[in-house]
Structure formats: C-alpha cells, structure tokens
C-alpha cells in the first residue's frame, strides 16, 4: 500500500498534539487505510525532550501495522535532524514533522530516505 494522503482530522490532531506537547517533542506511529493516513498510535513510554524523540519499540503491540511516524519540532524547523534520518529509515514509508506554530503550513512529510513527499489532504465523508 502506497500512502498518498492524510485525513484532514488526523492532520489537525497531529498539529494539536504539537501544541499541547510544546516545548517538548512528541512522537507517534501512524496507521493508514487505502493509502490515507487516518490513525495515530501513541506508544506507551515514548516521548522526547526538547530536541530528540524516540519510540519505545518494545512497547509496540505485536502485529500492529503502521506506515510511519509523526513527531514535532518545537523550534519550528520543519526538516529532519540527523537522528530523524535514521529513525525514518527504520520505521515505515512516510514521516511527518510538525513544527511550531503548528498551523496548516507548519508541517511536511518525508519518505524513508528523508526526501520531502507531498501528501494530499482529504476529508473523510
Ligand atoms: Zn525530529
């Protein structure tokens, strides 16, 4: 399954989580149906300080399928850090970074090799 879009409400949730976690980062796993990201999986024990997020892979339920990750950059720089590149390579096909001020323009998606990828925003109706 190739991911090509994100559900509008899911994106709004990711941005909102960036706001509520600020000034710390958050990180979650993303699930998708029919190529559209529409699920957010907070993983117990995962979290981050102000400049590094991580997922506790031991806490990911066996058999859970996910397509990638989302995390926040409280400093508003919406591009992958060196740590992010290695996380991206290990964790699925699409990775979203949301940055302060967490509005509709302050997010981007990346492929696992770190190249930006454009995601459509779709409404679930
Ligand atoms: Zn990052």
């Amino acid at each position: 399954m190739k991911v090509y879009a994100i559900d509008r409400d899911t994106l709004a949730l990711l941005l909102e989580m960036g706001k509520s976690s600020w000034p710390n980062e958050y990180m979650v796993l993303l699930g998708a149906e029919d190529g559209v990201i529409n699920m957010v999986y907070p993983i117990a024990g995962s979290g981050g300080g102000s400049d590094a997020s991580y997922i506790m892979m031991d806490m990911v339920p066996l058999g859970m399928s996910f397509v990638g990750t989302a995390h926040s950059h409280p400093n508003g720089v919406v591009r992958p850090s060196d740590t992010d590149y290695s996380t991206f390579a290990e964790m699925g096909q699409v990775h979203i970074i949301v940055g302060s001020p967490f509005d509709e323009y302050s997010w981007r998606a990346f492929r696992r090799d770190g190249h930006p990828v454009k995601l459509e925003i779709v409404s679930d109706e």
Side-chain angles (χ1 to χ4, degrees):
M1 178 178 69
K2 184 165 167 24
V3 173
Y4 71 93
I6 183 167
D7 177 73
R8 184 176 301 279
D9 294 338
T10 304
L11 177 59
L13 174 64
L14 293 176
L15 293 167
E16 191 55 45
M17 288 171 69
K19 261 181 226 168
S20 55
S21 305
W22 193 92
N24 292 317
E25 288 195 17
Y26 76 89
M27 189 167 223
V28 295
L29 296 177
L30 300 172
E33 273 177 312
D34 300 328
V36 179
I37 294 167
N38 64 354
M39 279 166 284
V40 172
Y41 303 116
I43 302 299
S46 297
S50 59
D51 67 355
S53 288
Y54 57 91
I55 297 269
M56 297 274 288
M57 285 310 292
D58 290 352
M59 302 297 287
V60 177
L62 276 181
M64 197 183 82
S65 73
F66 58 92
V67 296
T69 66
H71 75 286
S72 61
H73 279 181
N75 64 6
V77 179
V78 188
R79 60 166 195 265
S81 66
D82 289 347
T83 313
D84 291 341
Y85 283 117
S86 41
T87 306
F88 290 2
E90 287 166 17
M91 307 274 303
Q93 62 170 292
V94 64
H95 302 279
I96 292 174
I97 296 178
V98 300
S100 179
F102 307 109
D103 63 20
E104 59 185 306
Y105 304 110
S106 58
W107 68 281
R108 283 173 84 183
F110 302 88
R111 297 193 310 232
R112 61 186 304 155
D113 63 6
H115 280 92
V117 60
K118 194 162 164 35
L119 288 183
E120 281 177 48
I121 300 173
V122 297
S123 293
D124 175 24
E125 307 191 74

